[in-house]
Amino acid sequence: MDMTHFRMVVPPDLTQPVLDLLAPHDRVLNLVVVRAAPVPDGDAVECDRLTGAANGVLADLRGLGVDRTGSIAVDDVDMMFSERGERIAAGLPGALAHAPLWAAVEARIRKAGTYPPSFYLFLVIASLMGSGSVGIMTDSQILIVAAMVVGPEYHAITSVALGLDRRSRPRVREGTRALTAGFPLAIVVTCGSRPWCAPPACSPPPSSGVYGPCPI
C-alpha cells in the first residue's frame, strides 16, 4: 500500500475550505488539524493519501492557494498498518493504484537539472570508464555498467524533456548547453588518455574470452 503524507500550514481563513475539501474524500486517511498552532503562519493540517490518488488532491489544494499563502510538504510513508487503507487500495484500478505523484517527479527533475562542475567531472569519469580507454580495452562488463550508473547525462536529458513539455526555454537552453559542452569535453579527455591506458602487448584482444599469464 503506497501512501503519501501531506503536511500543511494553512492560514486560518483557509482552514475550513481545506477541511471541506479533504474530509469527504474516502481515500484520505488520518486527517488531523491543530488549530492555533504555536507558529505565526497559521493552522497545521496533516493527512495521508493513497499515492495513486494523490495527484487530484494536491491539484485541488494548490487550486485553493494553499501553496501560495501557506505551504505543503509531501513525504512518502514507508509503512502503514490500516485495514481501511488496504480495502481502499484494493478497490482502486491497477493503473491508479501505482500512479506516481507527478508533482514530486517534476520536482526531482527540476532539482537534478542543475549543472555544477561535478556534472562535467562525472561525465568525463563515465566516458573514461566505458570507453576504449578503460572499459572496452580491458573487456570489463562491470566497468561498462558502472559507466552507465556514474554518467549524469540522464538528468540533463529529462530536464530538457521537461522544458519542452512546459515550454521553458531557459531549462531547454541550459540542458542543451550542458550536453553539447560536456560530451566534447569527455571525448577529448578520453582520447587524450588512450596512450596511458593502452594494454600490454601480451594482453589478449578484447572479447576474445582468453585470459591467462603472458607467454615468457
Side-chain angles (χ1 to χ4, degrees):
M1 181 173 59
D2 296 330
M3 300 292 296
T4 300
H5 182 73
F6 286 83
R7 185 175 68 255
M8 294 161 280
V9 175
V10 184
D13 59 326
L14 269 183
T15 301
Q16 193 57 48
V18 168
L19 296 180
D20 293 339
L21 171 67
L22 296 175
H25 279 275
D26 58 347
R27 297 166 188 168
V28 172
L29 307 174
N30 308 326
L31 180 59
V32 178
V33 183
V34 181
R35 296 184 182 275
V39 291
D41 297 326
D43 300 332
V45 180
E46 299 189 26
C47 68
D48 296 311
R49 175 78 172 177
L50 291 170
T51 302
N55 291 287
V57 170
L58 182 58
D60 292 339
L61 290 171
R62 299 180 73 176
L64 288 176
V66 176
D67 58 329
R68 296 189 298 273
T69 57
S71 64
I72 306 173
V74 181
D75 300 306
D76 292 330
V77 178
D78 294 330
M79 185 178 299
M80 177 183 292
F81 299 97
S82 171
E83 291 186 4
R84 178 190 170 198
E86 293 288 352
R87 290 195 301 268
I88 295 173
L92 288 176
L96 182 60
H98 301 287
L101 184 59
W102 292 112
V105 174
E106 182 173 335
R108 294 190 186 99
I109 294 176
R110 291 181 183 277
K111 182 180 179 180
T114 55
Y115 313 103
S118 58
F119 172 87
Y120 302 95
L121 177 61
F122 278 109
L123 195 59
V124 170
I125 293 174
S127 180
L128 288 171
M129 293 172 62
S131 70
S133 296
V134 180
I136 297 176
M137 192 67 68
T138 59
D139 196 27
S140 174
Q141 293 88 352
I142 294 177
L143 284 177
I144 301 298
V145 175
M148 297 168 61
V149 174
V150 172
E153 68 278 358
Y154 173 77
H155 300 306
I157 294 172
T158 54
S159 182
V160 170
L162 178 64
L164 292 173
D165 182 70
R166 294 291 186 266
R167 294 179 173 84
S168 174
R169 292 185 178 180
R171 182 163 295 276
V172 175
R173 183 170 57 251
E174 292 172 7
T176 304
R177 183 186 300 122
L179 292 171
T180 54
F183 277 114
L185 174 64
I187 292 171
V188 170
V189 174
T190 301
C191 292
S193 67
R194 288 290 295 274
W196 290 275
C197 298
C202 58
S203 296
S207 302
S208 65
V210 179
Y211 294 92
C214 296
I216 298 177

